[in-house]
Amino acid sequence: MLAVLDKIMKEIRNAHDFDEAVLILVQRVRESIEADSCAIFIHDHHLSQLVMLATKGYKVKSVGTIRLDLNLGLIGAIATHKELLNVADAQLHPAFYSFPELGENQYHAFIGVPIVYQGRLLGVIVAQREVAECFSDREESFLVTLALHCSQEIARAEMLGAITQLSHAAIQHKEVLLNGSPGSPGVGLGVGFVVFPKADLDVVPDKVMQDVVSEIELFRLAVETIREEITDLSARLESNLAPEDRALFDAYLLMLDENSLGFEVEQEIRRGNWAQGALRKVIKLHIRQFESMDDPYLRDRAEDVRDLGQRVLAALQKREKQAPVDYPEKLILVGDEITAADLAEVPIANLKGIVSRAGSSNAHIAILARTLGVPAIMGVEGLIPSRFENKNVVVDGYYGHVYLDPSDIIVREFNRLLQEEHQLNEDLKGLRKLPAETTDGHVVTLLVNTGLSSDLGLSLSVGADGVGLYRTEIPFLARELFPSSEEQKIIYRQLLNAFFPRPVTMRTLDVGGDKTPDYFRVKEDNPFLGWRGIRISLDHPELFLMQVRAMLKASIGYDNLKIMLPMISDVAEVDDAMQLIKLAYAGLLSEGLQVKMPQVGVMIEVPSAVYQTYAIAKKVNFISVGSNDLTQYLLAVDRNNAKVANLYNSFHPAVLMALTHIVHEAHRAGIPVSICGEMAGDPLAVLLLLGIGFDALSMSASRLLRIKWVIRQFSFEKAKALVAEVSDMEDAAAIRTRLEFELESVGLGSLIHAGRN
Ligand code: PEP
Ligand code: MG
């Protein structure tokens, strides 16, 4: 049965649209388990109904019009309890409800399985027989496994907006409200601008296109690029290629011929689809044809067609990127998984909000949003990005709400909040030139975290004491190739110049985890525990040296550079990195350049390093705590995973104990210690960080004045007393409540609820 299942899934994946896919599904299920009828229903979240999408065997007039309430009958019971039902005679079951529109009177045996994706009900598959006898165990397992596989396909189709029947219902339903995690505070109003995952044939949607001529032109240029690539590759490999492999290249070229695949794609474009959608349709059709062949050699050719399609798609997308895009004036970026590269492509001045189905509030994209002061909602359940294209959207980054097609009342209310927020920022501007000093005279250094060149203006305007964390990987992520030494030097020098004479702490490349540039892509099962940060740098000393040399050269004449090493997990890594930094420094000196040896520091963000703080601290000039990763690694909670976002908590007593230990050990070694994770910009955390004894706090520029405001309301003595008090608490929620109370008591509650007092 596994082979049958495999075959069905292949057919479904290669169907040229969703309607065909569901039809294949019901047909194949009916045949495989010898049922008399089979149907698939999809969950309409907005109306709490199940909509029939396809059937074989039930005599219905029009599938899309059959809607069943979730609380009715056996099908409703499956949906409500997300549980399989396999009964000999449905009509004798206590939950039986007769749906006359299904014409099911002659059927008795009944089996139904829910289709569930990430805990969310997507639909139900049912099958019936005329005889009154339960379906067998094997048939039951078959259906359960099939539903499991289908759930991913349906979730994807939903994301691409391919489930058209449901979108009709949604359109009648103005103002859709979706919930996610608040990734970056603030409110934003604008027009949806959707980004789709790149170069994946399976997720290319259909799009109506008016300008057929330029779409065909775009396609032809992409084909030409691939043709040249293949010819070139074939020529280069000629002497090493076996004749059958060379024949493959020839076959590719033949397929691209304008009388073959190319012709079919152009036909499809002429019917009104855009080039990417037309390509997907044609390629999938051919894959299916090859896969259904009996000859195993020919069957394997399906993969070649897919590969070719994928190449043309990548070339098309590259060309699309180069074409000018009409961005909405107020833009809300919406996508299945928004990346730093997506952010780099849109005009930041227009960006008013970010909405992402994947990710959590600790993901890097959320951190970037906070840096920019742009509201962001992460991990939005049930998000179907394609529905947001060109639609009005309101983003509430405080509560994690997203409104699609908001009513006038909602728009009015959020415009009012926007005004209030603006006013609060204006009021805070008065603090720019004042020190971050407690009421009893203790001064803390406030620094900014930066990475995007577009946040430089904001970083300078808040009056920071310097840069506590420059994430050098961000300009790397936005490029197609590893930046050259000269290119890096120019970027670094701009920043050193802008902040001169204040210090700028540049972190060496911290890619890996959720930040992997395309040119560095490595497939790992556990990327956050894998090849990340300093590990990559030490494995590639040539890249590390190139970066350090660029930093040192950039600092000539300014001398305000500090270098910081990420993801250190033991002392030997510090020694190795120091040796390379000294090598780069000596090399530049020997070239006659007037470089100064910068201060070098280490980020403590891995539990093993916490316990070695003293040993590490003795070797460097400063320590900075990366509380984002430290929380993730101490609590074993993936900072990116929306499913466990509720467990990610930097107020966890274990995190607070680690912070206290780090500060104590760094001071024992006689060096300063700062914190540059998101905690540093959280008004609730600031009192604790102050009391624990951090010398500097480094945060998103958009948070800095709020943090200064809090610091100026309290005494250092009070902060230390609070730390002593909460260090006896065993529960993060209790600690948080205690801190909230403290802020509320001096009238700073608005900072927690952000303008919602
Ligand atoms: C951290 O881990 O706290 C940190 C500042 O680094 P990043 O968020 O870039 O991993
Ligand atoms: Mg980190």
Side-chain angles (χ1 to χ4, degrees), residues 182 184-187 377 396-401 421 706 752-756:
S184 169
V187 297
I377 322 289
D396 179 347
Y398 298 115
Y399 288 86
H401 297 328
E421 226 181 36
R706 286 168 164 77
I752 319 168
H753 311 299
R756 293 270 171 105

Side-chain angles (χ1 to χ4, degrees), residues 279-462:
L279 177 73
R280 188 210 69 233
K281 224 169 191 165
V282 172
I283 291 288
K284 289 225 161 177
L285 187 75
H286 284 267
I287 292 176
R288 251 180 328 142
Q289 281 168 353
F290 276 109
E291 276 180 344
S292 63
M293 290 180 183
D294 290 330
D295 179 340
Y297 177 80
L298 288 177
R299 233 184 4 248
D300 285 350
R301 300 289 63 79
E303 271 316 300
D304 297 336
V305 180
R306 175 179 286 280
D307 178 55
L308 188 66
Q310 206 65 44
R311 281 165 186 261
V312 179
L313 180 68
L316 264 177
Q317 291 185 343
K318 207 161 163 194
R319 293 211 163 262
E320 284 265 311
K321 259 195 195 172
Q322 289 159 358
V325 182
D326 227 356
Y327 292 104
E329 204 179 305
K330 292 182 177 179
L331 179 158
I332 307 281
L333 196 58
V334 184
D336 189 52
E337 184 167 11
I338 308 268
T339 63
D342 295 326
L343 208 58
E345 274 171 32
V346 299
I348 298 294
N350 299 24
L351 187 64
K352 301 296 168 208
I354 295 172
V355 181
S356 175
R357 189 199 57 78
S360 75
S361 50
N362 313 296
H364 278 99
I365 193 68
I367 294 175
L368 287 183
R370 288 196 281 268
T371 304
L372 291 170
V374 171
I377 322 289
M378 309 297 295
V380 180
E381 261 199 37
L383 180 75
I384 304 170
S386 57
R387 283 196 195 160
F388 284 69
E389 187 83 344
N390 285 325
K391 293 278 166 50
N392 287 331
V393 181
V394 166
V395 175
D396 179 347
Y398 298 115
Y399 288 86
H401 297 328
V402 185
Y403 298 83
L404 171 61
D405 269 334
S407 63
D408 291 349
I409 301 172
I410 287 288
V411 171
R412 224 175 306 128
E413 174 65 7
F414 276 88
N415 268 321
R416 185 185 64 75
L417 280 170
L418 209 56
Q419 284 302 320
E420 276 183 18
E421 226 181 36
H422 185 68
Q423 191 53 49
L424 179 67
N425 287 335
E426 286 299 307
D427 295 347
L428 289 172
K429 275 187 188 159
L431 296 177
R432 264 189 312 202
K433 295 213 161 70
L434 298 176
E437 185 178 6
T438 58
T439 52
D440 50 357
H442 178 76
V443 178
V444 196
T445 303
L446 294 190
L447 306 162
V448 283
N449 294 348
T450 173
L452 292 165
S453 45
S454 38
D455 70 28
L456 191 59
L458 181 64
S459 297
L460 287 167
S461 73
V462 292

Side-chain angles (χ1 to χ4, degrees), residues 364 367 469 471 507 515 605 626-629 639 676-677:
H364 278 99
I367 294 175
L469 165 64
R471 291 184 164 98
R507 174 170 76 183
K515 299 178 291 187
E605 47 186 350
S627 54
N628 305 335
D629 277 314
R639 64 192 266 187
C676 59

